Amino acid sequence: MNTRTMVSAAVSACVVVAACACGPEKATEDAAAKPSQPPASTTSKEPSAFPSASAGTEKPSAAPTGNQPAPKTKERAIQRYEQYLHGLGREDIATVCEVAGPGAKKAEEQGFGPCTSTYVIVFQMISPEQKKALRTATVDPGRVVVRSPDRIEMPLEAVRSSATFTESDLGSYTLEYIKNDFYITDGQ
C-alpha cells in the first residue's frame, strides 16, 4: 500500500474518532481538567476598575472557547488544516487524531486500526525533511476551494512548505463543519 493510501485511510479513521470524542461528555471533561479557571458562578460580574496593560491590544483567537462554536469560515478551516499539518510534523498524535477524527473513523470501519495506531505507521512514512517542513507549513488561501460553508477542500497545491509533497505523500483533503468545528473527513 502506498503512503498516500495509508494516509487517506488513517485520516478517515482519525476524523471519526475525533468527532466521537468531541461530544458533550468531552466538553465536561475538558472543563473539569482546567482547575485554574474559576467556575462561572464564582467569577465577578463587574468589570475591573483597572484594565490590564494588554487590554485591547491582543488579537482575538480564532479558536472556539468553551462550548461556543468555531466560526464557520474559510479562515477557520485553514487554521484547522494547518494544525493537522503541524501535528503531522511534530508526530503529535493527539492533535492529528483530533482534527482528522471523522476521516480516521471511516478508515477504521474499512478495516484499518484506530487513529492512534494507524498514524504511528503514517509518521514512519514521512521523511525527516518533510516532518520538519510540516511543522511550519502554511496554506495559501487563494488555492482553497469553498464548496459550501460546511465543506472546504484543501488541495495539495495549497500547502506551502520548504519540502516537496506529492499526492502519494500528502494529497488533498476535505474538511467539513461537524459539531461546531472543522474536521478532516476525506482524503483524495
Side-chain angles (χ1 to χ4, degrees):
M1 178 181 304
N2 69 28
T3 304
R4 174 71 185 118
T5 303
M6 187 66 170
V7 170
S8 293
V11 166
S12 296
C14 292
V15 171
V16 176
V17 171
C20 294
C22 292
E25 305 83 19
K26 181 74 172 155
T28 303
E29 291 170 14
D30 287 348
K34 297 178 184 168
S36 64
Q37 296 176 344
S41 63
T42 64
T43 58
S44 171
K45 299 205 187 295
E46 295 181 28
S48 170
F50 303 101
S52 69
S54 64
T57 61
E58 293 181 16
K59 183 178 177 185
S61 170
T65 57
N67 291 330
Q68 295 185 357
K72 196 184 293 189
T73 62
K74 176 177 157 179
E75 291 77 17
R76 176 60 181 168
I78 289 170
Q79 181 185 42
R80 290 286 281 173
Y81 188 57
E82 287 177 349
Q83 287 174 344
Y84 168 78
L85 295 173
H86 299 166
L88 275 177
R90 291 187 319 268
E91 295 188 18
D92 178 354
I93 196 78
T95 297
V96 169
C97 287
E98 196 277 323
V99 176
K105 184 67 174 173
K106 288 179 188 177
E108 187 174 358
E109 291 169 356
Q110 295 172 358
F112 292 92
C115 181
T116 52
S117 62
T118 304
Y119 265 103
V120 169
I121 296 167
V122 172
F123 292 152
Q124 295 171 1
M125 297 174 157
I126 303 170
S127 75
E129 176 187 286
Q130 289 174 321
K131 286 178 191 171
K132 184 177 179 181
L134 285 170
R135 290 180 199 135
T136 58
T138 59
V139 174
D140 178 356
R143 294 186 177 259
V144 173
V145 180
V146 178
R147 295 289 179 207
S148 73
D150 293 338
R151 186 178 171 90
I152 298 179
E153 294 178 11
M154 301 290 174
L156 174 63
E157 298 78 28
V159 176
R160 298 286 175 243
S161 75
S162 59
T164 302
F165 291 94
T166 66
E167 285 294 329
S168 64
D169 294 329
L170 187 60
S172 300
Y173 292 95
T174 300
L175 280 81
E176 293 185 60
Y177 196 83
I178 304 169
K179 294 188 179 187
N180 297 324
D181 211 346
F182 281 97
Y183 295 90
I184 296 174
T185 57
D186 194 20
Q188 301 155 4

